Amino acid sequence: MTTAATAATAATTARTATTATVATAEDTAPRSPGEQAPGPAPARSRSVPTWVWALPPVAVLALAFLYPLALVVQQSVTPDDGGGVSLEPYADVFASEVFRSALTTTVWLAVGSTAGCLVLGFVLALVIAFVPFPGGKAVARFVDVFLSFPSFLITLALLFVYGSVGMANGLWTDVTGAAEGPFHFLTTPWGVLLAEITYFTPFVMRPLLAAFSQLDTSQLEVASSLGAGPVRIIRQVILPEALPALAAGGSLVLVMCLNEFGIVLFTGAKGVTTLPMLVYSKAILESDYPAACVVAVVNIAISVGLYSLYRVVSRRAGA
């Protein structure tokens, strides 16, 4: 009985092997030119192309930003007297002394404010990150809250302290009996510089605090154990790690200072005319819209150019 079962199993196995061999031979055998191979299984319907999902945000961006920008550029090459496209508005604006003075003032205020923010922001971030003191975490959180403040609010606060009728001048007149106090710098370029440094310094501190939180403290301990002083540790250990954050914060502050309007307006510095103030003056006070658009285009070109330069430098530096 066992022998018969074994023989039946062997026969079944032989038939299965023979069938598989024949099927394999049929699949691999050459076919005649008119004979077609069995087609693949029907493919599933293709999904929506990925570029389709980019159309809604691109459309919103075009309507909200690109189209108004195109109108500004178009107005900048369209004189009020008609006559089609012309570069006459650019020639008139570039030849004016007011524009050259505003451009110079804008650049030096932006560069000076950025330098002051970098120095002050680096020092304050060092103190908050590496010097333990009560309320350090609360101060770090306040930096985040400070970023949400409008610029004119800081300017008003400075006016309450150093304005012509502010607290400092009031205290001076009460003590000395003088008719007026000595603090009148807020209506000068130095007052604008102080206000911009005060307002924009947290924009440098925020990326610095984030960079310092990722710094390996063992490097500081090793450097200190080897006899390095605080200044040397900052110069050789902390500063190299903070350079990308300084570059990011500094570039942001520089672009924002170039386009700052509220601080200059609320300080009441009548002798300080920046490019944004010149746009306001040309458009609102003089109704010279082509000239205002020319100044706006120049301001945008400077901002975009500086940002592009920052991106190139940071990419080469590996930031």
Side-chain angles (χ1 to χ4, degrees), residues 223 226-240:
L226 294 177
V231 176
R232 187 175 180 181
I233 292 176
I234 293 174
R235 187 179 69 252
Q236 296 185 356
V237 180
I238 298 178
L239 185 58

Side-chain angles (χ1 to χ4, degrees), residues 16-48:
T16 303
T18 302
T19 303
T21 303
V22 171
T24 304
E26 291 177 351
D27 292 338
T28 57
R31 294 180 173 86
S32 61
E35 185 180 1
Q36 295 182 356
R44 296 181 179 178
S45 59
R46 297 183 61 184
S47 60
V48 179

